[in-house]
Amino acid sequence: MACVTPSLTLTPRQAKDWFKAVLAYALAVAFVFSPLASWFQPRTLPNIVLISTILNPAKTVGNFLSPMLILLFDLLVSAAIWAFLQTVCFDSYPVMILVVFGDVYFLAIVRSMNHGRYYVSAYVGTSMAVNCCASILGAAGTPSPDLRTHFDVLFLRDTVATYFIGVFICFLVNILVFPDFAETRVRERLTGVVPKLAQLSAAIWSALSGNLEDVSASISEERLQLVSFLQSEFGAIDAEIAQASAEVSYSYYSIKNYDQLSRRMKSLAAVLFSLQSVLAAPESQRLLSSPEFQRDVSAGMKESWLLLDARCQDTFKAVHTNLGKMEFGATENLLQQLEQSCSAALNEFEKHQERVLEAIWDEVNLGPDNAFALATMENWERLLQIDFFILATKEFASDLSLLFNRTNGLVGSKKRFRIHINQYIPGGSFTNLLKVVKMEFGTLSLPTLRQNLAHLKDLLLSPRSIYGLKSATAISCLLLILVTQPDTFKHWYMTGATGNIVVTLNPSLGQTYIAFFLTLLGAVSGAVLAFCSVTLFGKDSYAHVGAAVLIGIPFVYLMLFNRGKTTIAGVLAILAFSNYICNSYANIANPAFDIPSVYLGKVVTVITCSLMFSIVLTLVVYPALARRILRAQISALFLNLNIFYGKIAGITYSAGPSTASLNVEDSEIKELRTMLFSQLVALEPLMIFASAEPRLKAPFETAKYRKLIQSMYKLLDRLECLRLSTGEKPFEGEVLRLVKSSRVANSRAHLIETVQLLLCVYSATMTTRQKLLPVLPSATRARSSVLHDFVDIMVEVARQQFPEHPGPLQDGQLMKRSTSRQQLVKKLNRENWMRFFSYYSAIREVAQELDEVAVDLKGIFGEYCGVFDIRRSEDRDQFKIVVDDM
């Protein structure tokens, strides 16, 4: 495992969070040694420090309040379970273990739904269940005085009270010490994104104006870095909007306003990302740097694009002023100027398009053989590319105007107190789970019994359920030791094993494998440092508070920063330190308590055994390997990409007034696109865990899987370009008749079938891990076939304008006859035709990237031997001649 070297560079906000976490930890330890602690049973005092560590006040207010409120509710439920166990199940150990098994099973499933939100509740609920059982068997420390029944109400009261005190300390630190409101962060991030969008648009307009420097690979890399930054910022904005919805804020904007602004900016960014994706393609670089294009770059063209960039920058500045200062930041006719400059720039660009069309018609007029010559086909590709740039620029100007209008409309809003009740209602995960159970098991009948039983089996064997079963089994094994050997359980302080199991037992082996070493390192080092503190200062010295601060500074740093690498080590070190000194202090008058060195040895032994048990349980009982989960999620992603492509391809062909538009704001398309991006982002932790897992055959092929995931990011980006090219409505009129003509319709159907077939094959390959065939259907060739048929028809249409080549079309009258070639050129410059051209320009990028994915999969799983690998030399030569003639 690689050595983790944390970066020491901190932002002011991170330094404040560091201070808040250390302060909360120090206050919790100080409370344990203060006179106020005498109000509670000493054995419950470690709960205060536990909450101050795992609840962690170093968060935004919204990110803190959500798990805090859930924890308070969980404390009430866990207290009720405690009372039930000690009043009803105290004389039946099997029933007691069964109840705890169900409780831990449910908590583990809830935790797997949203770790950040439910982890603290799962930890505390499991810990209370184990302490309750230990109390019944007298293994939870000194019983309460005057205890006449098995229901130790004083122990329960003090347990809940100390948890509440820990929550209260965290709440005060979070609210009063350098408060960090997510609502403020959202507004700052949205305001900060605007200049980056302006910077990216300026770089793109410079490239489209014919500036060769901005077409180069180095400048393209700079634009790509801007794209990556904006993508990460939008991800952070979405997370912080969710956090802000849990806050009671006094702000100008509501969460709905922020969500609308975020969607407007994402829509604008999607256009820029699509333009950057196409600009980075080799075909675009050849177009923009070609002598023909550079020859057409006049002073007027450069001036028009520079003017467009200036108007865009003015609009972005106005949006920035609207958001940042809540003041009107624009003149009255800013949008009119933006529209005029956009039209002027595109008019210059369309002149080049007309010249490309004229060149095509000149080649066609020379004879039918020239219609499919290499130079002519390259001109068609340039035409499609230019149409994409024109449509994307129009879409950008439209989205920028919408963003400006939205921010302008919010200027003058009054500050108000805002609270969002829906945040505290059970989430969609619970609702969906209840719907599934009700749908399948609400009405039982004999014909559906087998189907219901099969569905129940699938639910029980799902990854979340398996994780819940493992967690519940681990805690049940701990309780078996408790009920069979209560003295051993007590003398070896085995209640501490609960936290180790909860922390290290994770949904996949990779997580548990990584957590094993970090947990062992953190817990042992924390216990050893606590032993040193007790040895130096004694068990009841206030010096332990100072020692807690000194220990907390480095370990809180590990807990908060480099998340995913050193978090577990930091958490377990802090908990081990506090548990050691708190338990030593709680048993200061207990003569049966071990001396510090013996106590340290038992703590380290229990830690090691509990971690080894977690590893064995994860390996033996339905091992959930991260690499298997990774492959299953990539397989599902390919199927979802297939659905996404099918929606885009289907709407271009549909006709009729009832057809829904494919606007970026369309909820279904937006939800699907957002889900695909979120699923891709979720693959990163699985990659880390899969790389850490032991594998007998060979080390996990991390580099090849990363290359595949990067190709999937590109494919999603290309599909977004395709979505952008379709516009907001289906093809209609002459374009629709052309698409439905026999030749184009057949080749187009073949293209759609090829793309969907490849995506399904890729999905099946990830599931079965089988090799691929050496030769697969080519999406690039299928797209070229569509272009060939389209050009064939367009050549016939064009040649009708020439007196020496009259005659009807093979597919009938697809287009009205034009009086001249100039009129035909103008007709093809209309938006409906430009959308058609742009669509088949974007599908080229999709097809090429889709074919590249096959190469990545062959690198991972291999390929079968080809049937036609051995050919006669004359067959190869003949094949070469055919290919050269195409």
Side-chain angles (χ1 to χ4, degrees), residues 503-662:
V503 171
T504 57
L505 197 61
N506 288 285
S508 77
L509 173 62
Q511 288 172 277
T512 304
Y513 190 72
I514 291 176
F516 173 78
F517 299 102
L518 295 177
T519 301
L520 185 61
L521 176 63
V524 171
S525 59
V528 170
L529 291 171
F531 165 75
C532 296
S533 181
V534 171
T535 303
L536 290 174
F537 307 118
K539 295 182 179 181
D540 58 348
S541 173
Y542 282 101
H544 292 311
V545 179
V549 173
L550 294 177
I551 297 301
I553 290 174
F555 285 112
V556 165
Y557 181 90
L558 295 178
M559 180 180 72
L560 293 181
F561 311 114
N562 298 286
R563 189 170 295 278
K565 298 179 181 179
T566 59
T567 301
I568 296 177
V571 170
L572 267 295
I574 292 172
L575 290 180
F577 178 86
S578 60
N579 285 338
Y580 190 99
I581 62 172
C582 289
N583 288 329
S584 297
Y585 174 66
N587 290 275
I588 192 171
N590 183 5
F593 193 75
D594 293 308
I595 62 175
S597 58
V598 174
Y599 180 42
L600 175 64
K602 289 184 177 181
V603 168
V604 172
T605 301
V606 170
I607 289 172
T608 305
C609 292
S610 61
L611 296 184
M612 291 300 299
F613 176 73
S614 298
I615 287 287
V616 172
L617 183 65
T618 305
L619 284 170
V620 174
V621 181
Y622 281 97
L625 299 174
R627 56 181 179 268
R628 293 179 182 173
I629 301 174
L630 176 67
R631 284 193 290 266
Q633 293 199 7
I634 292 177
S635 175
L637 263 167
F638 277 123
L639 292 179
N640 288 331
L641 287 169
N642 194 359
I643 296 172
F644 190 46
Y645 169 73
K647 289 182 177 294
I648 297 172
I651 202 166
T652 60
Y653 189 81
S654 302
S658 61
T659 303
S661 68
L662 195 62

Side-chain angles (χ1 to χ4, degrees), residues 14 83 111 289 360 384 398 465 493 875:
Q14 288 176 324
R111 173 188 172 185
S289 59
I360 292 174
L384 303 184
S398 174
S465 178
Y493 315 102
D875 289 339

Side-chain angles (χ1 to χ4, degrees), residues 655-730:
S658 61
T659 303
S661 68
L662 195 62
N663 195 320
V664 72
E665 298 300 331
D666 182 84
S667 57
E668 185 178 0
I669 295 296
K670 172 183 174 294
E671 183 179 347
L672 182 56
R673 188 186 67 242
T674 303
M675 181 189 70
L676 285 168
F677 183 76
S678 300
Q679 288 178 342
L680 282 170
V681 172
L683 297 179
E684 179 57 30
L686 287 174
M687 283 292 300
I688 297 174
F689 303 144
S691 302
E693 286 177 351
R695 190 167 180 255
L696 182 62
K697 184 177 180 180
F700 182 73
E701 297 171 312
T702 305
K704 293 181 179 179
Y705 273 90
R706 287 200 179 280
K707 188 173 182 296
L708 173 63
I709 293 172
Q710 189 60 37
S711 296
M712 297 180 72
Y713 271 107
K714 292 180 181 179
L715 182 58
L716 178 60
D717 191 32
R718 303 301 190 264
L719 286 171
E720 180 64 19
C721 295
L722 188 64
R723 185 213 61 79
L724 178 65
S725 301
T726 59
E728 301 180 1
K729 55 186 178 181

Side-chain angles (χ1 to χ4, degrees), residues 482-497:
L482 171 63
V483 299
T484 57
Q485 300 291 333
D487 292 336
T488 301
F489 189 95
K490 179 179 181 179
H491 292 155
W492 281 84
Y493 315 102
M494 296 186 69
T495 52

